[in-house]
């Protein structure tokens, strides 16, 4: 078994907004692929997916260069009998002018870390200047990532100000706006979660603008289709997803307009039974003509199902179809509140949860992720270690 990835480390994607806000040190939670490969006896190959030769049954892996442009690894080919594509997704800018040049995305840990570093530097400058200038943060997209980032930023910037920034007043000098093209925040999630989240954002004085489609991003403002111009020192683009261009017509495989690979209910791609696709990069049929939503719980379920499918293939048995189960939704708003719904456990319908209970459920999801990667005892030790360290490290 060989794992190919363009990064040396893994970080659970739902945590990226915490890295961007500064409430989490990404180095404390990253998983090193080389260590994981040694512990679980697989091979790790560093490099991005560059192409697919289905006739030769080989994956083309791009070359790797260091920060100074010196080649570390050349382009290589990795043979396969069974191929699983799970390269995830990235932000969809919908070809909006200025997004590439003037907006941050937080698709990976480095982008999140870069945004946080730039924001902290801006706070230092504002503190030294002592001129009362405001720092405007515009977050485009009011999905889970956008609203969680807004609440987390509200908290962490105020904590930062306690570390000697005596001339910096976050209440007066930080203004956060969330801009959504749709009629409400958190599209696709239950109304209850959206309504409760909106109340919390209002209490935090986060400006929420709905029905405002962004048509241009400039160096200091965001322009919408209605003519509104939102001041923006920093713009974070979190509106929609698409997959990398490498998946478009990859080896002749079928893809959709978002560059997702079209898959069968068995998670096999439509044009090659030896190539599987899971996670955000896969368009897997669900119900009423819709595909399985690009959510972390869907990717986790697909991975678990595929483990059984690969065992069946080795035994000479046909693959079974995958059925997505929606276990509910959770939104964590930093230290202020967590809200959500749970479905399909020991009750019928939906169970609304909020506050401490919702926060514990949210935290447990990450612990389950660590359990899947390391096993129960490593997960338990990791949890204990972070609890001990959390009592002595800075916030």
């Amino acid at each position: 078994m060989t794992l190919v990835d363009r990064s040396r480390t893994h970080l659970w994607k739902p945590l990226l907004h915490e890295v961007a806000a500064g409430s989490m040190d990404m180095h404390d939670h990253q998983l090193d692929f080389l260590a994981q490969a040694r512990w679980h006896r697989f091979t790790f190959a560093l490099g991005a997916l560059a192409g697919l030769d289905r006739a030769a049954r080989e994956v083309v892996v791009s070359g790797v260069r260091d920060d100074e442009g010196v080649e570390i690894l050349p382009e290589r080919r990795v043979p396969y009998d069974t191929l699983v594509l799970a390269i995830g997704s990235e932000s969809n800018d919908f070809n909006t002018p200025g997004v590439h040049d003037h907006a941050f995305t937080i698709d990976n840990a480095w982008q999140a870390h870069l945004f946080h570093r730039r924001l902290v530097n801006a706070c230092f400058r504002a503190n030294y200047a002592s001129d009362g200038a405001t720092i405007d943060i515009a977050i485009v997209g009011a999905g889970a990532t956008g609203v969680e980032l807004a609440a987390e930023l509200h908290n962490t910037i105020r904590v930062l100000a306690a570390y000697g920034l005596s001339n910096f007043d976050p209440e007066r000098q930080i203004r956060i706006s969330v801009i959504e093209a749709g009629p409400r925040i958190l599209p696709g999630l239950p109304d209850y979660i959206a309504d409760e989240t909106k109340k919390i954002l209002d209490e935090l004085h986060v400006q929420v603008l709905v029905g405002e489609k962004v048509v241009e991003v400039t160096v200091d403002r965001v322009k919408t289709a209605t003519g509104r111009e939102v001041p923006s020192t920093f713009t974070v683009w979190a509106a929609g997803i698409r997959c990398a261009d490498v998946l478009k017509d990859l080896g002749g495989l079928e893809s959709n307009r978002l560059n997702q690979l079209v898959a069968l209910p068995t998670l096999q791609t439509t044009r090659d039974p030896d190539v599987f696709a899971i996670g955000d990069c896969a368009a897997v049929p669900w119900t009423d003509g819709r595909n399985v939503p690009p959510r972390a719980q869907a990717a986790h379920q697909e991975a678990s199902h595929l483990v059984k499918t690969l065992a069946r293939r080795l035994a000479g048995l046909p693959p079974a179809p995958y059925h997505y189960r929606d276990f509910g939704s959770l939104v964590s708003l930093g230290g202020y509140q967590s809200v959500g719904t749970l479905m399909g456990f020991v009750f019928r319908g939906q169970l609304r949860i909020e506050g401490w209970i919702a926060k514990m459920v949210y935290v447990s999801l990450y612990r389950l992720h660590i359990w899947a990667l390391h096993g129960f005892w490593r997960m338990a030790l990791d949890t204990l270690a972070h609890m001990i360290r959390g009592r002595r490290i800075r916030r």
Side-chain angles (χ1 to χ4, degrees):
M1 187 181 300
T2 301
L3 172 67
V4 179
D5 199 275
R6 63 184 177 183
S7 175
R8 290 182 173 88
T9 58
H10 159 77
L11 182 69
W12 200 43
K13 196 170 184 179
L15 297 179
L16 289 178
H17 73 279
E18 296 186 36
V19 176
S23 55
M24 172 178 288
D25 185 344
M26 67 178 184
H27 301 293
D28 284 343
H29 293 266
Q30 284 183 331
L31 168 68
D32 189 282
F33 284 133
L34 285 173
Q36 185 80 346
R38 176 176 173 81
W39 292 332
H40 296 284
R41 301 183 198 78
F42 62 84
T43 301
F44 172 62
L46 178 64
L49 173 67
L52 175 62
D53 187 340
R54 289 167 54 206
R57 288 175 175 260
E58 292 178 333
V59 175
V60 181
V61 180
S62 66
V64 179
R65 295 180 177 274
D66 64 15
D67 295 336
E68 297 177 347
V70 178
E71 185 177 77
I72 302 171
L73 296 170
E75 183 176 280
R76 292 141 290 150
R77 287 179 170 244
V78 178
Y80 71 88
D81 294 310
T82 300
L83 175 63
V84 179
L85 293 167
I87 68 171
S89 62
E90 56 190 32
S91 297
N92 189 352
D93 63 10
F94 304 101
N95 297 317
T96 305
V99 173
H100 182 267
D101 296 326
H102 305 300
F104 290 89
T105 57
I106 49 174
D107 296 326
N108 56 55
W110 174 250
Q111 292 176 347
H113 171 71
L114 181 63
F115 167 77
H116 173 65
R117 191 169 65 181
R118 298 275 180 86
L119 178 59
V120 170
N121 288 343
C123 293
F124 278 129
R125 284 195 299 269
N127 179 70
Y128 180 77
S130 301
D131 57 1
T134 59
I135 298 175
D136 295 290
I137 304 171
I139 302 171
V140 182
T145 299
V147 298
E148 289 180 337
L149 176 62
E152 202 76 44
L153 283 171
H154 184 277
N155 179 41
T156 56
I157 291 175
R158 280 152 183 77
V159 173
L160 173 67
Y163 285 85
L165 303 189
S166 56
N167 298 321
F168 182 68
D169 181 7
E171 296 292 342
R172 185 173 51 85
Q173 292 182 255
I174 291 289
R175 295 185 300 201
I176 303 174
S177 301
V178 177
I179 308 169
E180 169 60 39
R184 71 169 176 87
I185 65 172
L186 298 173
L189 297 188
D191 291 340
Y192 161 74
I193 298 179
D195 294 341
E196 291 299 314
T197 301
K198 177 63 166 56
K199 292 177 183 178
I200 296 169
L201 293 178
D202 288 342
E203 292 173 1
L204 300 180
H205 303 293
V206 173
Q207 182 183 35
V208 178
L209 304 174
V210 296
E212 296 284 358
K213 180 182 178 182
V214 174
V215 295
E216 184 182 3
V217 177
T218 68
V219 68
D220 61 354
R221 64 193 60 248
V222 173
K223 301 179 180 180
T224 70
T226 63
R228 183 190 292 266
E229 295 189 2
V230 181
S232 176
T233 312
F234 295 96
T235 301
V236 180
W237 190 270
I241 67 162
R242 66 189 297 274
C243 296
D245 290 335
V246 69
L247 292 182
K248 187 175 183 180
D249 196 34
L250 177 70
L253 298 176
E254 182 183 4
S255 60
N256 62 16
R257 60 184 181 84
L258 297 178
N259 294 338
Q260 292 175 306
L261 296 174
V262 181
L264 302 171
T266 57
L267 304 180
Q268 295 166 298
T269 53
T270 55
R271 296 175 183 171
D272 194 330
D274 295 323
V275 179
F276 293 78
I278 63 173
D280 287 6
C281 74
V284 181
W286 185 25
T287 59
D288 301 326
R290 295 179 296 165
N291 292 327
V292 173
R295 302 173 66 185
Q297 63 172 310
H300 184 92
Q301 292 176 32
E302 289 166 357
S304 298
H305 179 83
L306 192 54
V307 168
K308 300 174 184 177
T309 295
L310 295 179
R312 291 175 62 89
R313 279 172 66 88
L314 292 174
L317 300 174
Y322 159 70
H323 300 286
Y324 171 63
R325 294 184 62 193
D326 186 350
F327 287 107
S329 306
L330 285 167
V331 175
S332 175
L333 302 174
Y336 303 104
Q337 182 67 282
S338 294
V339 295
T341 59
L342 299 179
M343 298 185 295
F345 290 96
V346 295
F347 47 86
R348 297 181 182 275
Q350 295 184 358
L351 174 66
R352 297 180 178 182
I353 59 173
E354 58 184 69
W356 184 85
I357 295 177
K359 186 67 176 178
M360 290 301 99
V361 174
Y362 189 90
V363 171
S364 71
L365 293 178
Y366 179 51
R367 292 294 114 192
L368 288 172
H369 177 68
I370 298 299
W371 188 346
L373 293 176
H374 296 297
F376 174 78
W377 291 111
R378 282 183 182 268
M379 180 275 292
L381 290 172
D382 179 80
T383 302
L384 180 61
H386 279 95
M387 289 176 61
I388 294 172
R389 291 192 72 242
R391 293 185 176 275
R392 68 174 185 83
I393 62 174
R394 70 197 184 285
R395 291 184 63 189

